[in-house]
Amino acid sequence: MTDIEIAKGVTLEPITEIAEKFGIASDEIEMYGKYKAKLPLSKISKTKAEQSNLILVSAISPTPAGEGKTTISIGLSEGLNRLGMKTTVVLREPSLGPVFGIKGGATGGGYSQVLPMEDINLHFTGDFAAIEKAHNLLAALIDNNIQSKINSLGLDARTISWKRVLDMNDRALRRIIVGLGGTTFGVPRETGFDITAASEIMAILCLADDLIDLKRRLGGIFIGYTFDRKPIFARDLKAEGAMTALLKDAIKPNLVQTIEGNPAIIHGGPFANIAQGTNSVIATRMGMSFSEYTVTEAGFGFDLGAEKFFDIKCQSAALSPKAVVLTTTIRALKYHGGVSLTNLTDENLEALTRGIPNLEKHVENIRLFGLPCVVAINRFATDTDEEVALLQREAKKLGVRVAVTEVWAKGGEGALELAKEVVELIETNGNGFTPLYDWNMDVPSKIATIATKIYGAEHVDYTAKAKNDLKKITNLGLGNLPVCIAKTQKSLSDNPKLLGRPKDFIITVREIEIAAGAGFLVPITGDIMRMPGLPAHPSSEQIDIDAEGNITGLF
Ligand SMILES: Nc1ncnc2c1ncn2[C@@H]1O[C@H](COP(=O)(O)OP(=O)(O)O)[C@@H](O)[C@H]1O
Ligand SMILES: O=COP(=O)(O)O
Ligand SMILES: [Mg+2]
């Protein structure tokens, strides 16, 4: 059965019942139909949240299909609930880019899914649309001011860094020229689109405490300079009030349910390769306010989502995670051992062994944050007993707990071993979480710390533009901000072709974007693009809908 067929076979509980199970009265939620709701920020309790055990689910370097972090996160929460531990899974909202592109949705899979999956994977509750409108309102205000004769700020159009966003993989929009056509069409200038998940507003939504903090951060968005080199921010265009008004509902986290009828919270966007890729502080705190265990995820491999989760989100919100679950698959390790994507289902013990160094490096990286880890072997039907046994042996040699999980095939039942390992791990380990670096370090040292310690780079090179960006950052007094490195997810390096555990490589920073509102800097490495493109055969070709509104081919 496909994911959507399994999902359609489930009788959903009314979201009012899920809210009651979560701990919020049904008359306190804002319904979006029978099976979705938004939760009031007033229900967050920072003191209660501190009592919850926060677990991060990460992964080794993934194949393009992904290795099962979201599936494992959901399955683990089902398993912990089966053991009587009140648990909530907190996830990120899928982007339409991958939905219609290569990867597909982000609501888990098999018997570990969050539902209603069609809604969640398509328009959900409109948060992405609201983020797009707020982002593009600011873009329109900028171009309006540039061409204004009465209240122009004197913006130098060549210095404007703020683009537009669209939640679609559309490479044709990466670089555009606006304002063509003469005086009634504005002032011509180069700009472009990023995908919505990469919007600074998404990051602001994910890091904001509440509406007032959201508005403050939105006002702090750096736009560019005037002709006499005065830095201009969104507040100089009086934009933050309207932008916040557009986000008044998007700031509230979304409540849905798992296949086994447990609460799940979804809020904030994905893509830890071009954005921070964690869900929101608000959603995480909401889950933690009502749960003994809170299971959350961060995008792509540990080198990307987890590093950003720890060094940006946890530091920013004073969250103290207790353990890491490292999602590991035989298929990904064979891929890192040199097997092509088309042959990953064939047994290959030699390639699996050659791929182990990638797992080893991610386990070493987890230790740098002072956290205990369980390697969760996410078993696929094509994995042979010999392959599983070999991986169990090799993983145990790394000195970590190992659990074979079958959450895709069996839901929570397939996560009972993992759940028990996680509980024991948390009970026997103190709270040793320590971030990788101090935000007050200088920017090149912060970048070098991540590049050498987490990626394994020999050193970091900067292009002339990146060096100029460093000067800009210093002049703006923003050198104490953390860094959110944009890098390919395919490799620990910035070269997608270097698989396994590459060594003696250099990370090249080509430019550094400033996200002054979100409160971080974005060093962009290699050739990574913040507007992905569609593949030759997009997933959209398989999607259809019948006269009764039944969607097929979503995954
Ligand atoms: N054990 C498994 N067997 C079969 N398919 C799986 C398994 N685990 C995950 N998948 C599928 O792989 C894809 C990626 O899973 P997902 O949880 O989204 O990964 P990630 O969050 O790491 O990107 C999904 O389509 C999911 O249904
Ligand atoms: O940021 C990307 O998230 P996934 O790894 O879940 O696709
Ligand atoms: Mg995912």
Side-chain angles (χ1 to χ4, degrees):
M1 292 236 281
T2 63
D3 294 348
I4 195 164
E5 286 164 346
I6 293 168
K8 283 181 181 305
V10 178
T11 305
L12 293 182
E13 294 181 34
I15 200 65
T16 46
E17 288 174 25
I18 299 295
E20 298 283 350
K21 182 186 274 192
F22 178 63
I24 294 182
S26 51
D27 61 358
E28 292 188 280
I29 63 175
E30 286 176 61
M31 309 269 290
Y32 280 64
K34 281 180 68 178
Y35 305 115
K36 298 172 287 185
K38 279 191 174 282
L39 300 175
L41 270 55
S42 59
K43 305 307 283 184
I44 291 172
S45 156
K46 288 188 182 178
T47 42
K48 280 189 198 159
E50 279 163 11
Q51 308 311 313
S52 184
N53 294 299
L54 181 59
I55 300 157
L56 177 73
V57 178
S58 184
I60 60 174
S61 303
T63 63
E67 299 324 304
K69 283 185 306 297
T70 303
T71 306
I72 290 273
S73 300
I74 297 162
L76 173 58
S77 73
E78 309 278 48
L80 286 164
N81 277 306
R82 283 178 180 232
L83 294 177
M85 319 277 184
K86 190 181 180 200
T87 303
T88 302
V89 63
V90 184
L91 302 172
R92 295 150 308 142
E93 181 176 346
S95 159
L96 290 179
V99 167
F100 297 132
I102 288 181
K103 191 151 182 279
T107 50
Y111 290 88
S112 291
Q113 294 188 53
V114 285
L115 307 173
M117 66 95 87
E118 306 96 308
D119 291 24
I120 297 166
N121 281 313
L122 293 174
H123 299 295
F124 200 24
T125 55
D127 293 353
F128 270 55
I131 289 165
E132 270 174 22
K133 297 303 178 297
H135 188 115
N136 297 335
L137 168 63
L138 180 54
L141 291 171
I142 291 167
D143 280 304
N144 182 53
N145 190 273
I146 288 173
Q147 61 87 52
S148 166
K149 298 174 190 58
I150 44 174
N151 68 343
S152 165
L153 293 170
L155 274 165
D156 177 349
R158 297 164 303 174
T159 69
I160 305 297
S161 50
W162 193 256
K163 298 180 187 172
R164 286 159 168 87
V165 294
L166 180 67
D167 188 28
M168 200 57 68
N169 284 357
D170 191 350
R171 61 172 62 81
L173 294 178
R174 280 173 179 160
R175 286 193 180 162
I176 61 172
I177 296 175
V178 295
L180 295 178
T183 49
T184 52
F185 292 76
V187 175
R189 70 180 181 94
E190 282 187 64
T191 183
F193 277 78
D194 285 336
I195 194 163
T196 303
S199 164
E200 183 180 348
I201 294 180
M202 178 68 82
I204 289 172
L205 186 94
C206 285
L207 293 172
D209 268 339
D210 53 31
L211 263 181
I212 298 306
D213 185 40
L214 179 74
K215 184 158 58 170
R216 177 185 64 80
R217 290 172 184 262
L218 291 171
I221 291 172
F222 172 71
I223 291 167
Y225 293 94
T226 60
F227 282 102
D228 48 16
R229 297 300 293 168
K230 178 176 170 261
I232 296 295
F233 299 86
R235 58 178 172 265
D236 297 320
L237 285 164
K238 303 184 183 63
E240 70 273 26
M243 292 166 76
T244 309
L246 279 168
L247 297 164
K248 78 173 180 60
D249 294 320
I251 193 170
K252 298 169 196 161
N254 304 290
L255 179 69
V256 289
Q257 61 192 281
T258 65
I259 280 187
E260 296 176 20
N262 291 308
I265 298 176
I266 298 181
H267 198 220
F271 299 161
N273 56 344
I274 56 174
Q276 95 192 36
T278 70
N279 49 63
S280 68
V281 166
I282 283 172
T284 306
R285 279 204 185 114
M286 180 70 79
M288 294 175 78
S289 300
F290 292 88
S291 312
E292 202 178 339
Y293 288 85
T294 306
V295 180
T296 193
E297 56 162 4
F300 295 125
F302 187 90
D303 54 317
L304 287 170
E307 188 276 317
K308 295 170 171 82
F309 178 85
F310 293 137
D311 286 326
I312 298 175
K313 179 177 170 182
C314 289
Q315 280 234 78
S316 166
L319 296 173
S320 289
K322 295 282 175 50
V324 174
V325 171
L326 188 65
T327 306
T328 303
T329 63
I330 284 161
R331 73 176 184 186
L333 289 175
K334 289 193 283 192
Y335 176 63
H336 285 284
V339 174
S340 69
L341 287 174
T342 48
N343 298 328
L344 291 178
T345 53
D346 305 336
E347 179 176 85
N348 191 329
L349 299 174
E350 297 71 37
L352 175 56
T353 306
R354 284 196 303 271
I356 294 295
N358 184 270
L359 168 63
E360 184 181 39
K361 177 56 180 156
H362 288 291
V363 168
E364 287 171 15
N365 287 348
I366 294 168
R367 293 202 171 103
L368 293 175
F369 291 91
L371 284 173
C373 143
V374 186
V375 167
I377 299 175
N378 177 21
R379 184 164 191 168
F380 281 66
T382 49
D383 296 341
T384 64
D385 292 344
E386 291 73 16
E387 288 176 322
V388 172
L390 186 155
L391 178 51
Q392 279 180 293
R393 270 196 317 277
E394 291 303 317
K396 283 180 180 158
K397 284 181 194 168
L398 303 174
V400 288
R401 292 170 183 255
V402 183
V404 179
T405 67
E406 297 184 81
V407 296
W408 190 89
K410 301 177 179 170
E413 187 204 330
L416 291 177
E417 183 193 343
L418 175 63
K420 287 171 190 155
E421 290 288 353
V422 167
V423 169
E424 222 174 277
L425 197 65
I426 291 173
E427 285 172 352
T428 53
N429 281 273
N431 185 9
F433 169 62
T434 46
L436 188 70
Y437 63 85
D438 183 329
W439 288 7
N440 292 315
M441 287 164 74
D442 62 83
V443 176
S445 299
K446 286 183 270 201
I447 297 172
T449 300
I450 297 169
T452 55
K453 290 189 175 178
I454 298 293
Y455 305 158
E458 204 272 316
H459 72 269
V460 180
D461 270 355
Y462 293 83
T463 63
K465 169 138 186 15
K467 286 175 186 163
N468 192 37
D469 291 338
L470 283 170
K471 287 192 193 108
K472 234 166 85 172
I473 290 161
T474 305
N475 296 338
L476 287 165
L478 297 174
N480 64 338
L481 294 181
V483 292
C484 181
I485 296 179
K487 178 183 77 68
T488 178
Q489 69 279 10
K490 295 178 180 169
S491 168
L492 282 160
S493 76
D494 61 3
N495 175 350
K497 294 188 174 57
L498 292 183
L499 300 180
R501 180 176 183 166
K503 296 192 190 257
D504 305 325
F505 60 88
I506 295 165
I507 289 281
T508 303
V509 175
R510 70 171 197 259
E511 59 184 300
I512 305 176
E513 290 195 3
I514 294 169
F520 57 65
L521 304 168
V522 186
I524 300 182
T525 68
D527 300 324
I528 191 105
M529 296 283 176
R530 304 186 87 201
M531 168 55 89
L534 287 172
H537 288 289
S539 301
S540 54
E541 293 176 354
Q542 319 304 326
I543 296 172
D544 197 359
I545 186 167
D546 66 17
E548 286 70 47
N550 297 309
I551 293 175
T552 52
L554 207 44
F555 316 103

